[in-house]
Amino acid sequence: MTSTISWIDDITMTELERNPYLVYERLRAESPLAYVPVLGSYVASTADICRSIATSPDFEAVITKAGGRTFGHPAVIGVNGPIHDDLRSMVDPALQPQEVDRWIDDLVRPIARRYLSEFEDAGRAELVGGYCEPVSVRALGDLLGLKSVSSDKLREWFHKLSRSFTNAGVDENGEFTNPEGFDEADAAKEEIRSIVDPLIDNWIVNPDDSAISHWLHDGMPDGQTRDRDYIYPTLYVYLLGAMQEPGHAMGSTLVGLFTRPDQLEQVIDEPALIPRAISEGMRWTSPIWSATARISTKDVEIAGVELPEGSVVLLSYGSANHDHTVYDRPSEYDITRPPLPHLAFGAGNHACAGIYFANQVCRIGLEELLETIPNIERDTSSDVEFWGWGFRGPTALHANWEV
Ligand code: 261
């Protein structure tokens, strides 16, 4: 038996986190369903393979190894069958479009205006930390019932959970190469429990309109509530992805628009184009770039690769959304491209539950920003840096305008 040393064996977490696009362009071309040693699992990188695995009866959901280490069990993204059905029945009601439409404007618009008022007269701002992230966490935090937790604290939590969840590097024995990378999230989870446990104690006896209160009570027999240990892993899913990703989506959409000043001007003149701009932003830099996985429930052959039962496959939707067989010039942000569906919210029975809510938060956030500061420009004295392989978005976005 001979073994071939491949460039795939040399992929590092650092290069994926800095810029996964070059590596993944080559994976799509040469090995679209590849075993990647540093990740300790298979990776699906094309639109076709991601979609077929996400919707296949021969696979079910599984949480990634670092994800499971971070969230514990049962997290909604990593369970199947009756537990998944129950967790979806717990989170879905508040996220239904006709429900969201009743309160989304009253929830998000005042939040957006409040953060804008902090810098609109300054003529300059760093929009990721000063606007996109605070609007994202405050909207969801208020919905969940975490009004007493500051936006800065919610931001700190998602950053710590995010770095831990994507601390995926393993050695040749499958052991984490950076076990200390989980420490900050372990500490954050302790802090989360110290703050949320007393809120739960109160919601058990005094239910209110907050989402977490509904998670505890809805669908339970009279006088019973869901166990908090059963709810926490899914709350961590929210405190990471649902807190972080609308902010990533707003930030990436703005960076994309700044690469096309003509299109930015069009969107400012015609705010009805904002949903199109957001959809293209999420295709261009998908916030959940490679954070979910499936496991084969039998031996299967996909794209010429024999996968034994029990093979874990990471769904790299951020790569699928740059598949040149689907999108022309995929690395360009362009709101005029044909509005083909993308995979930023996944597919199949584990597709995102918050798709409508997240889109509305982003829409209202960008409507308020562009209406208040229609002469906004990117501050070109510094470059925009993106970071992340599991989750991806701009780390900072400096803008300025005449006041
Ligand atoms: C709300 C979605 O959150 C996540 C999605 C995928 C991985 C981790 C998450 O927290």
Side-chain angles (χ1 to χ4, degrees):
M1 204 136 158
T2 54
S3 77
T4 340
I5 304 290
S6 160
W7 64 276
I8 296 172
D9 302 337
D10 296 329
I11 297 172
T12 66
M13 287 314 298
T14 306
E15 76 177 314
L16 290 177
E17 288 162 350
R18 286 195 186 134
N19 178 7
Y21 286 106
L22 293 172
V23 167
Y24 272 88
E25 189 176 351
R26 203 165 162 197
L27 284 174
R28 291 194 300 276
E30 296 177 21
S31 192
L33 180 57
Y35 187 82
V36 177
V38 72
L39 298 168
S41 62
Y42 288 86
V43 165
S45 55
T46 62
D48 191 42
I49 298 176
C50 282
R51 189 181 295 282
S52 47
I53 290 178
T55 57
S56 166
D58 301 336
F59 287 83
E60 60 182 21
V62 68
I63 195 163
T64 61
K65 187 171 152 83
R69 168 67 181 78
T70 304
F71 288 168
H73 175 83
V76 64
I77 59 171
V79 291
N80 299 285
I83 298 178
H84 181 238
D85 293 344
D86 177 65
L87 289 171
R88 284 298 286 241
S89 80
M90 178 181 94
V91 300
D92 282 348
L95 300 170
Q96 292 309 301
Q98 72 268 36
E99 172 67 16
V100 171
D101 280 341
R102 289 197 303 117
W103 40 254
I104 193 73
D105 217 76
D106 292 341
L107 172 69
V108 183
R109 227 170 269 288
I111 292 169
R113 289 195 180 135
R114 181 154 51 79
Y115 288 110
L116 279 168
S117 72
E118 288 179 10
F119 59 73
E120 65 180 296
D121 297 330
R124 55 185 298 117
E126 193 288 284
L127 295 172
V128 171
Y131 189 71
C132 302
E133 290 184 352
V135 169
S136 180
V137 301
R138 196 67 274 146
L140 180 65
D142 290 4
L143 174 67
L144 285 175
L146 304 178
K147 287 198 165 100
S148 60
V149 183
S150 75
S151 299
D152 285 344
K153 185 54 74 182
L154 293 170
R155 291 172 59 219
E156 181 192 321
W157 286 347
F158 83 59
H159 279 295
K160 289 178 173 173
L161 291 170
S162 179
R163 288 189 291 260
S164 172
F165 191 97
T166 59
N167 180 33
V170 291
D171 64 21
E172 57 284 356
N173 303 314
E175 306 289 340
F176 288 119
T177 44
N178 177 30
E180 314 77 46
F182 302 108
D183 293 349
E184 60 178 351
D186 287 342
K189 282 176 281 177
E190 270 197 41
E191 184 176 47
I192 289 164
R193 296 218 37 158
S194 77
I195 290 171
V196 178
D197 270 340
L199 297 173
I200 290 177
D201 293 337
N202 181 52
W203 280 317
I204 288 171
V205 285
N206 301 307
D208 66 18
D209 260 352
S210 65
I212 299 175
S213 178
H214 282 285
W215 291 6
L216 288 162
H217 292 275
D218 287 6
M220 296 297 284
D222 258 356
Q224 290 183 42
T225 49
R226 286 189 181 79
D227 199 279
R228 71 189 67 200
D229 290 329
Y230 174 81
I231 284 177
Y232 266 113
T234 296
L235 181 61
Y236 298 143
V237 174
Y238 266 62
L239 293 178
L240 194 184
M243 287 287 176
Q244 175 170 249
E245 305 326 329
H248 270 159
M250 280 187 269
S252 292
T253 298
L254 287 166
V255 177
L257 285 169
F258 284 133
T259 69
R260 307 295 288 244
D262 52 323
Q263 297 189 2
L264 174 60
E265 202 177 306
Q266 256 186 303
V267 169
I268 289 168
D269 290 347
E270 203 181 331
L273 291 172
I274 287 174
R276 173 82 275 268
I278 292 165
S279 176
E280 173 63 355
M282 292 177 179
R283 183 206 64 80
W284 182 62
T285 303
S286 302
I288 300 185
W289 209 95
S290 187
T292 60
R294 297 290 186 275
I295 186 166
S296 53
T297 54
K298 50 156 101 147
D299 297 352
V300 280
E301 194 204 306
I302 310 228
V305 180
E306 307 270 2
L307 292 180
E309 179 181 341
S311 301
V312 174
V313 182
L314 303 178
L315 301 174
S316 292
Y317 290 130
S319 169
N321 287 337
H322 277 219
D323 188 329
H324 79 281
T325 68
V326 183
Y327 310 99
D328 236 18
R329 291 194 257 254
S331 59
E332 290 178 20
Y333 179 91
D334 182 1
I335 67 168
T336 72
R337 68 173 64 250
L340 293 165
H342 61 60
L343 281 163
F345 293 97
N349 67 332
H350 278 266
C352 178
I355 178 166
Y356 190 78
F357 174 78
N359 273 294
Q360 300 311 305
V361 171
C362 293
R363 174 181 61 81
I364 296 169
L366 293 183
E367 282 173 4
E368 287 299 324
L369 175 69
L370 298 179
E371 186 186 316
T372 306
I373 312 174
N375 54 347
I376 195 163
E377 290 178 1
R378 188 168 85 74
D379 177 351
T380 50
S381 67
S382 60
D383 286 338
V384 181
E385 261 185 45
F386 284 77
W387 187 87
W389 155 83
F391 308 97
R392 190 164 181 83
T395 53
L397 174 54
H398 295 274
N400 51 32
W401 55 92
E402 301 271 327
V403 286

